[in-house]
Amino acid sequence: MAKDNRQKLNNFYIRRMAKGLAQQRYGACLGAMTFLFGVTLVLSQLRGYYIQGATGSLRSLITGLLIALLSLIVTAPARIGARSVFCDIAAGRETRAMKALAAWYGDGRRLSSSILLMLTQTLTALLALALFGGLALAAAARLDPAFFGALLYGNLFWLLLSPGKLYLFLLAVVAPVYLIMARFVPASYLLAQHPEKGILTCLAESFQLLKGFYWKYIGLQLLSLLQLVGYALMSSIFCMMIFRGDINSAAAYAAIFTEITAYFSIMPQLGIGTALFIADAAIRSEPGLPESSMDIE
């Protein structure tokens, strides 16, 4: 019976629902994403300024670590606050972006929980990246020593002459890391809805929640990725027509347009769609999993 229920999940239907809800409550989505976009933009400018003045000294290293810590402290509650807005919209509840964000910045327990969750996810991603990166490097050293040497010494000219090998190497590293981290994405939505829960509880429930629905959830994310790639291609073509072959200017403006589109169109729809997916998965899960983790009215 549980198997039949799982077949009822339809990513295209969830995406249509998410798009409609995002359009109906676009003010709340706009407020949450504007704040998150502003925070991300300021921190990226700060990192860019630091990189330009980096000297490789111990002082530069400490400064870089402080900037990374500041980014974690500022960004984590903004991300969880945005997810709480998406969850409220998915559940049909009244919500205000600034009120939701203030709740995560103004409450010490919520603030620390959001930071610890993001820190845990970041460290897990780094460990996975180190593991699969090491395995990919070991395979490259054994199968293609010349390519391994180019990677090791940063020989960009040689790497650009072998784009197929470079893409295969990146795929071998990025794909398994993504597949691992995708299991823990719902944790931030669970924490957004239940701030009283510990981060370990949210991570464990996130892993448990996707049992039987994992590949459908991957499909939901990949649909948004394809949408983003489509926007990126269209913006690249349009900018190339405007700048008449000036590749640098066209690439810069295309990247800006794509990033804005991602923040204010794709990410809100994906966030609401993820909230809907998690709620549906919780309802259709095997007995024993808390079905009230994400309630939709």
Side-chain angles (χ1 to χ4, degrees):
M1 189 67 179
K3 184 177 180 181
D4 293 336
N5 283 339
R6 288 171 184 168
Q7 292 175 350
K8 295 178 182 178
L9 287 172
N10 187 306
N11 286 340
F12 294 100
Y13 176 69
I14 289 175
R15 279 176 57 84
R16 287 197 299 271
M17 284 185 63
K19 183 177 180 179
L21 289 170
Q23 291 174 346
Q24 292 175 14
R25 306 295 301 280
Y26 191 67
C29 293
L30 181 64
M33 297 312 298
T34 298
F35 184 84
L36 183 57
F37 179 76
V39 166
T40 304
L41 183 62
V42 170
L43 290 171
S44 66
Q45 292 297 319
L46 182 62
R47 282 192 293 268
Y49 177 79
Y50 160 72
I51 290 174
Q52 290 179 358
T55 61
S57 64
L58 178 61
R59 183 177 179 180
S60 297
L61 177 61
I62 295 174
T63 304
L65 291 174
L66 289 175
I67 293 175
L69 180 61
L70 176 64
S71 177
L72 179 67
I73 293 173
V74 175
T75 305
R79 291 186 181 278
I80 302 296
R83 282 160 173 73
S84 68
V85 172
F86 298 149
C87 291
D88 287 340
I89 292 174
R93 293 188 290 265
E94 288 296 324
T95 184
R96 292 182 180 179
M98 292 301 105
K99 184 178 179 180
L101 291 167
W104 284 92
Y105 281 100
D107 188 309
R109 183 175 179 179
R110 292 189 180 195
L111 179 65
S112 60
S113 295
S114 65
I115 293 172
L116 287 174
L117 178 60
M118 187 171 174
L119 178 61
T120 303
Q121 291 175 324
T122 302
L123 292 176
T124 303
L126 290 175
L127 289 174
L129 190 62
L131 173 61
F132 290 104
L135 291 174
L137 284 173
R142 184 177 180 84
L143 300 175
D144 194 336
F147 178 70
F148 172 75
L151 284 172
L152 192 62
Y153 296 104
N155 189 338
L156 295 179
F157 178 76
W158 198 96
L159 292 175
L160 291 176
L161 291 178
S162 306
K165 294 179 181 179
L166 181 60
Y167 292 148
L168 182 61
F169 175 82
L170 292 175
L171 182 64
V173 176
V174 174
V177 174
Y178 164 73
L179 292 175
I180 290 174
M181 296 308 301
R183 289 191 175 274
F184 302 106
V185 171
S188 57
Y189 291 84
L190 295 173
L191 181 63
Q193 285 293 87
H194 300 279
E196 71 281 358
K197 290 186 177 181
I199 61 168
L200 295 180
T201 301
C202 291
L203 289 169
E205 288 188 8
S206 174
F207 188 87
Q208 182 72 17
L209 190 68
L210 290 183
K211 284 187 176 180
F213 309 100
Y214 174 71
W215 291 109
K216 286 184 178 291
Y217 179 62
I218 295 295
L220 181 66
Q221 289 199 322
L222 289 180
L223 287 173
S224 294
L225 178 60
L226 289 175
Q227 184 183 12
L228 179 63
V229 171
Y231 279 118
L233 289 175
M234 287 190 296
S235 62
S236 298
I237 295 172
F238 182 71
C239 289
M240 284 295 293
M241 292 173 61
I242 291 179
F243 291 99
R244 299 180 182 277
D246 186 349
I247 297 178
N248 292 331
S249 298
Y253 280 94
I256 293 172
F257 175 79
T258 303
E259 185 175 10
I260 292 175
T261 303
Y263 269 91
F264 297 106
S265 178
I266 297 175
M267 288 175 64
Q269 292 179 29
L270 177 60
I272 297 172
T274 301
L276 292 169
F277 188 98
I278 293 171
D280 200 1
I283 292 172
R284 301 180 190 280
S285 294
E286 297 289 346
L289 185 70
E291 295 188 2
S292 61
S293 295
M294 296 279 293
D295 298 323
I296 290 185
E297 296 174 357

